[in-house]
Amino acid sequence: MNIQYLVTSLEGGGGAFSLPRILRTIEQSGSHVHLSACEPRDGLGGLRLRDEGFAFTLLADRKRNKFFYLRTFIKQVRRERPDVIWTSLSVAGLVGQITGRLCGLPVVSWMNNANAKPYTRLFSRFTDLWIADSPSVQRYLRENLGIPAQKIMVWPLYCATTPQPLPHYWQGNSPLHLGSLGRLNEQKNYAALIRAIGRFFENAPQWRGSLRVSLAGDGPLHASLQDLIDQLGLNGTITLIGHQNDPDAFLLTLDAYIQPSLYEGMCLAAHEAMAIGLPVIATPVGELAHSIIRGETGFVIGQPVEESIAAILEEIFTYPSRLEHYGRAGRALVRTKFSTENFHAAGLSVLERIRSLLTHS
């Protein structure tokens, strides 16, 4: 089976960094895959791919319009004559869907979060098989986009391979280091987190010198988030530390991880944190709603978000031992549920389904 695999960009992040494992599973199944990206953006995902031994093609060396990507991809598909087009993320999805329709090829599309673009909804019927990155996204596809259940499969993007556990747990006798990994965009809801830290200090000024927060990542909201930190006088507490080339090394510096996202699919970063053994504080969105169980595997952020985070921080400072309890329970859960064996088994099931599509097309 010859697969043309198209992604929107090679931007660093969970989606791009999971690509090598996906591509390796495809190749191990006996299929050939040619990876293309519409544009590089920061290119960090491309660096990861090269390090892992994977080549790729860029449709453009900078951001261009969708018609440019479409025209270039159609030429490539007609030249290489694949059996199937496989897309990841919304722009690539649109380009792949239209190309598949024009070239008479089946299209397989990833859905990575519960927030579809308008054009994703419009062209959703152009995809022959949807791959949800988690059961929560599977439900979103079925209930919000109206995709029939028989046209959806689940392949959880996360695979718990992190070998090194957290070396120690915070006991309350040093500053608490709280952190998060993610793009500085609206989805991650970091402005609410910053305001919550300010509210926490208003409620509990005695702990102002006992907390530091590191937000790892880059994105369009960097300047506005820094302005908010400045306005609230939180420079000594919250730091925007930029992109991290070694996410695991960053996570191992933390005492707790926080993910206040508005929406998610799998949310790789939070699950990586759990696999290390970090206690996680998160909104119940996407797969996090099932991984973070209140009172068992983590702290659930309620509504309103700012008040809830402030209350959770007060609980942590009052009962430090809960961090170790939740951290160890969360690690056990994800390393069982998202094992390497489960990851490969799900991928092979998807590939078998794609082969059956080709047989009956």
Side-chain angles (χ1 to χ4, degrees), residues 216-238:
D218 288 310
L221 297 186
H222 186 283
S224 63
L225 292 174
Q226 186 60 61
D227 286 345
L228 182 59
I229 292 168
D230 296 341
Q231 290 167 18
L232 296 177
L234 297 173
N235 303 76
T237 299
I238 304 175

Side-chain angles (χ1 to χ4, degrees), residues 50-95:
R50 288 195 179 103
D51 288 344
E52 297 277 352
F54 291 100
F56 53 84
T57 299
L58 284 172
L59 302 187
D61 61 2
R62 57 186 171 85
K63 184 176 179 62
R64 303 292 292 266
N65 62 54
K66 296 179 182 67
F67 294 105
F68 181 91
Y69 303 140
L70 179 61
R71 185 171 64 250
T72 306
F73 191 60
I74 288 173
K75 289 179 182 178
Q76 180 173 299
V77 166
R78 286 176 172 165
R79 182 174 63 250
E80 300 194 5
R81 303 170 65 89
D83 299 309
V84 63
I85 294 170
W86 195 330
T87 74
S88 180
L89 300 179
S90 55
V91 172
L94 176 65
V95 171

Side-chain angles (χ1 to χ4, degrees), residues 21 144 331:
R21 190 175 291 120
N144 294 76
R331 175 175 162 82

